[in-house]
Amino acid sequence: MSGLFAALFSGLAWIASIIDPFCGPAGVFRWFGAGTLLACGDTGWGDEIAYGFLVTASLALATLPLGLVIGFFVALAKQANEGSLRLAANIYTTIFRGLPELLTLFIVYYGLQILVQQFLATLGYEGPIEINAFAAGMIALGVVFSAYCSEVLLSAFKAIPHGQYEAGDALGFHRGKTMRLIILPQLVRIALPGLGNLWMALLKDTALVSVVGLPDILRQTGIAARVTKEAFQFFGIACILFLILAMVSSIAFSTLERWTKRAEMRR
């Protein structure tokens, strides 16, 4: 089984090396950075920066569904009839909207490590425990994103007339089917602009994980800047890479907005 996973990982790594926009066969650094500090391979920092770009994009994409799912259920809890659910949801959003993202990251990264170590100590394990920086970053950014996301989704829920739920009841739908077929399509259309803004903020917040050792764009360019003493060049490259992610995201969300509007018109 381990051999199968190793072969699968090797295959994925080979595919990634082929389509790598920076150091792949048609990569930018390979064609225009040869003989400079951005060269790929042992002579430059192209490979390290390309890997940092991959880590940043992967972290943001992995955090997005986690934050959306948690935020959706928190938004549902905020409008529940049960008072304890509303109170818990409000406490959750108050905490994670009030704490700085960096502090949340430290609490998750070091706090989870302590909790896991204490739990394993009760089972007789006394060895060192180290929490994966990628997982810690995903959890920390996910809970912060979900706290803001819940407010956006709550506003979208309130913008949908209550008669839409009554229409589902009149058609004989149970609430789950009403939510899936009637409410969610409208919810996505209404909430999409706000979620797009939160996604942009999430992209920028991924830079915080560099403080816990995750080799993202900022950490990789920071190391290169310290070693080569070319801080302006490498931090300028970091700016360009984040702007590329922002522009691609803006195009993607604009496309989604147009698609949801066309879908609404067809309805």
Side-chain angles (χ1 to χ4, degrees):
M1 183 64 70
S2 60
L4 176 61
F5 281 114
L8 180 61
F9 180 79
S10 298
L12 291 175
W14 180 79
I15 294 173
S17 67
I18 295 297
I19 64 175
D20 183 359
F22 299 104
C23 287
V28 176
F29 293 161
R30 187 170 297 279
W31 282 94
F32 300 103
T36 70
L37 293 174
L38 296 178
C40 299
D42 297 334
T43 59
W45 293 87
D47 294 297
E48 288 78 5
I49 295 175
Y51 182 70
F53 182 88
L54 176 63
V55 169
T56 294
S58 300
L59 178 61
L61 290 173
T63 302
L64 180 63
L66 175 66
L68 285 175
V69 171
I70 297 175
F72 177 76
F73 285 107
V74 172
L76 289 179
K78 277 178 170 286
Q79 53 185 343
N81 294 325
E82 181 62 41
S84 59
L85 282 177
R86 293 198 305 273
L87 177 61
N90 287 325
I91 291 174
Y92 176 89
T93 54
T94 300
I95 290 174
F96 290 112
R97 289 169 65 200
L99 290 177
E101 288 86 346
L102 185 59
L103 182 57
T104 303
L105 177 61
F106 283 149
I107 290 173
V108 171
Y109 184 68
Y110 296 108
L112 275 181
Q113 187 168 299
I114 293 172
L115 289 176
V116 172
Q117 195 153 10
Q118 289 179 347
F119 172 74
L120 293 179
T122 61
L123 301 178
Y125 179 78
E126 299 294 340
I129 300 297
E130 183 175 353
I131 298 297
N132 181 270
F134 187 94
M138 187 177 70
I139 294 171
L141 296 178
V143 295
V144 173
F145 181 85
S146 68
Y148 288 97
C149 175
S150 66
E151 296 297 329
V152 172
L153 294 177
L154 181 62
S155 298
F157 271 121
K158 290 180 178 179
I160 299 174
H162 189 71
Q164 301 285 343
Y165 296 91
E166 295 173 350
D169 294 338
L171 292 171
F173 294 167
H174 55 76
R175 276 305 166 96
K177 192 172 183 179
T178 300
M179 180 67 69
R180 178 170 57 88
L181 296 180
I182 300 176
I183 304 302
L184 278 181
Q186 299 178 73
L187 187 74
V188 171
R189 178 178 56 83
I190 296 170
L192 199 56
L195 294 178
N197 289 332
L198 292 182
W199 166 255
M200 293 296 189
L202 175 63
L203 279 177
K204 294 185 293 183
D205 287 343
T206 56
L208 297 174
V209 299
S210 62
V211 301
V212 294
L214 194 68
D216 68 323
I217 291 174
L218 190 60
R219 181 173 178 81
Q220 299 294 73
T221 53
I223 293 173
R226 287 193 297 271
V227 172
T228 63
K229 310 301 182 185
E230 295 287 346
F232 183 79
Q233 176 179 347
F234 282 103
F235 287 129
I237 291 170
C239 291
I240 292 172
L241 294 180
F242 275 109
L243 287 175
I244 289 172
L245 287 173
M247 287 188 291
V248 171
S249 300
S250 179
I251 294 171
F253 272 94
S254 297
T255 303
L256 282 174
E257 287 184 33
R258 289 195 298 269
W259 178 78
T260 55
K261 288 178 181 178
R262 287 198 298 268
E264 184 68 19
M265 291 175 62
R266 288 197 296 268
R267 290 165 62 90

